[in-house]
Amino acid sequence: MSTLKVVSSKLAAEIDKELMGPQIGFTLQQLMELAGFSVAQAVCRQFPLKGKTEAERGKHVFVIVGPGNNGGDGLVCARHLKLFGYNPIVYYPKRSERTEFYKQLVHQLNFFKVPVLSQDEGNWLDYLKPEKTLCIVDAIFGFSYKPPMREPFKGIVEELCKLQDRIPIVSVDVPTGWDVDKGPISQPAINPAVLVSLTVPKPCSTYIREKHTAHYVGGRFIPRDFANKYGFEPFGYESTDQILKL
Ligand SMILES: NC(=O)C1=CN([C@@H]2O[C@H](COP(=O)(O)OP(=O)(O)OC[C@H]3O[C@@H](n4cnc5c(N)ncnc54)[C@H](O)[C@@H]3O)[C@@H](O)[C@H]2O)[C@H](O)CC1
Ligand SMILES: [K+]
């Protein structure tokens, strides 16, 4: 296990609550925009298009979106990827009715002509072929996931596990299905090629295989004294970067 500074799922939820509480007053939309933007930047850093053939440049980034805020990060990420010249496709099997905001994120994707597939589009696996898929963005569950996993996500994750040796997975904040604090405690488990921890890594990130998984931190939205209050130092982001490779 590495000596990386991490915060538990409980503390991560407290950090979020305080950032969006009356004293600080961030809105969820603001934080999610920065979170999704960071994930898109990590995809660009890890899978640059520069110098690639037209066929490579046309490959899909397949973004799988869950029902909560981790999924919201995925919706935002897809929009930024399109702006960055990628070819994202979103699979959104269980749409959140929690807030109007999620519908707006989908409208924005329509505006950008990013396809958004629903659960009844049974052909989602057709988009997952090594010759046409650059990577998969796993924005299914983040720090509020509580096992055991329910359908349709259980079946989806099983399919992803079968594909992950051939198509790299980029996990947003927490590899879906991992216990946020204890890591990959059930099998089959996602073994991401890239993990983008948001704000600060969660304990499960210490279970990634360092040689296999590139680890980035993103979500650059807290000042030093706030980080110190929660027991960690701010990350040394360079210049205007929204991500830092750890
Ligand atoms: N400050 C930040 O770093 C920010 C992080 N963000 C992202 O938000 C997620 C946490 O979001 P939250 O809505 O609290 O939870 P999740 O998305 O992880 O999941 C909740 C969602 O999942 C359902 N669910 C839970 N367990 C199961 C299960 N076993 N089977 C099926 N479904 C399950 C639950 O019902 C909810 O619908 C964090 O990780 C970041 O990615 C924000 O963008 C804000 C800033
Ligand atoms: K995830």
Side-chain angles (χ1 to χ4, degrees), residues 34-221:
L34 289 168
F37 184 45
S38 312
V39 178
Q41 218 177 63
V43 170
C44 295
R45 191 72 51 94
Q46 195 69 21
F47 306 100
L49 294 182
K50 201 166 173 224
K52 291 286 177 341
T53 61
E54 206 158 315
E56 280 288 312
R57 296 172 68 90
K59 283 184 169 185
H60 303 304
V61 176
F62 197 81
V63 183
I64 309 190
V65 170
N69 294 341
N70 195 260
D73 296 346
L75 295 173
V76 172
C77 165
R79 170 162 42 80
H80 287 286
L81 282 173
K82 182 78 183 211
L83 280 168
F84 295 161
Y86 289 76
N87 189 8
I89 293 192
V90 170
Y91 182 39
Y92 195 7
K94 202 172 168 205
R95 300 200 181 192
S96 173
E97 299 298 328
R98 265 204 298 194
T99 58
E100 183 63 23
F101 173 51
Y102 286 89
K103 286 189 204 150
Q104 291 169 330
L105 289 175
V106 171
H107 293 323
Q108 289 157 27
L109 289 170
N110 295 336
F111 175 59
F112 278 84
K113 300 196 167 46
V114 174
V116 182
L117 311 176
S118 313
Q119 191 178 0
D120 48 26
E121 275 154 303
N123 60 346
W124 68 280
L125 278 169
D126 292 349
Y127 294 91
L128 292 178
K129 307 272 185 237
E131 63 280 11
K132 51 182 187 184
T133 316
L134 188 65
C135 65
I136 296 165
V137 174
D138 152 30
I140 304 177
F141 299 124
F143 63 58
S144 301
Y145 166 71
K146 297 276 176 304
M149 199 179 296
R150 297 185 292 276
E151 294 294 357
F153 299 104
K154 185 170 180 283
I156 290 172
V157 168
E158 281 166 5
E159 293 296 341
L160 295 184
C161 289
K162 288 185 212 157
L163 285 162
Q164 62 186 345
D165 291 339
R166 285 168 290 145
I167 306 175
I169 296 181
V170 179
S171 285
V172 179
D173 207 21
V174 175
T176 291
W178 287 28
D179 183 279
V180 185
D181 296 321
K182 297 185 203 130
I185 54 169
S186 59
Q187 293 297 328
I190 284 182
N191 181 17
V194 180
L195 172 64
V196 188
S197 292
L198 294 169
T199 313
V200 58
K202 315 302 170 293
C204 63
S205 67
T206 60
Y207 293 87
I208 58 174
R209 287 194 251 142
E210 279 173 30
K211 284 210 174 84
H212 175 84
T213 307
H215 190 189
Y216 294 85
V217 67
R220 186 181 181 182
F221 40 61

Side-chain angles (χ1 to χ4, degrees), residues 7-29:
V7 301
S8 67
S9 53
K10 187 166 168 278
L11 209 57
E14 280 172 30
I15 291 175
D16 250 29
K17 201 168 161 214
E18 187 171 359
L19 287 171
M20 290 183 266
Q23 298 286 335
I24 301 177
F26 275 119
T27 62
L28 175 63
Q29 286 91 327

